[in-house]
Amino acid sequence: MSLGRVGKFLYTLPFWFFGVMHFTQASFMNFVPSYLPIPAFWTYGTGLCFLAGALGVLAGKHTELAYKLLGALLMAIFLTVHLPNFEAMMPIPLFTLGLAGASFAFSENT
């Protein structure tokens, strides 16, 4: 197995974890901003996006798009969930920004 494949696998681990957690932890619905209707839709939809993005990266099909969409998803989460509660959620917002930045950088090198 090449180092690139190992790197892609390691990079996608958090997304597999986050995706599964969005389906198995009902408490994740509490993080949906109050101005968004139907918290279950946003929670499950976000989980599905994490899983689809991780699968896209690992499958090697439309990898550039998968990285860009993961980056966009992470930025949306940062702006709507993490930024309003920045101090209370530290250091998670910084990890989210780091993963978003890596996603955008990787999208340019696929």
Side-chain angles (χ1 to χ4, degrees):
M1 187 180 291
S2 73
L3 195 55
R5 285 182 187 230
V6 171
K8 284 183 178 185
F9 174 77
L10 293 175
Y11 179 74
T12 61
L13 279 178
F15 301 115
W16 291 113
F17 177 76
F18 298 150
V20 169
M21 293 296 288
H22 277 75
F23 284 99
T24 60
Q25 301 296 315
S27 63
F28 273 46
M29 289 185 208
N30 296 331
F31 295 111
V32 175
S34 60
Y35 57 84
L36 291 175
I38 316 168
F41 170 80
W42 296 104
T43 302
Y44 297 138
T46 300
L48 184 61
C49 289
F50 278 134
L51 295 173
L55 182 62
V57 168
L58 287 178
K61 299 278 186 178
H62 308 290
T63 307
E64 180 181 346
L65 179 62
Y67 279 127
K68 286 180 179 178
L69 291 174
L70 279 171
L73 175 63
L74 290 164
M75 288 304 299
I77 291 169
F78 174 79
L79 293 171
T80 61
V81 176
H82 296 179
L83 193 58
N85 304 303
F86 192 80
E87 287 185 30
M89 297 189 82
M90 281 299 286
I92 295 169
L94 295 178
F95 292 135
T96 302
L97 281 178
L99 283 171
S103 289
F104 292 134
F106 293 158
S107 76
E108 298 294 318
N109 296 313
T110 57

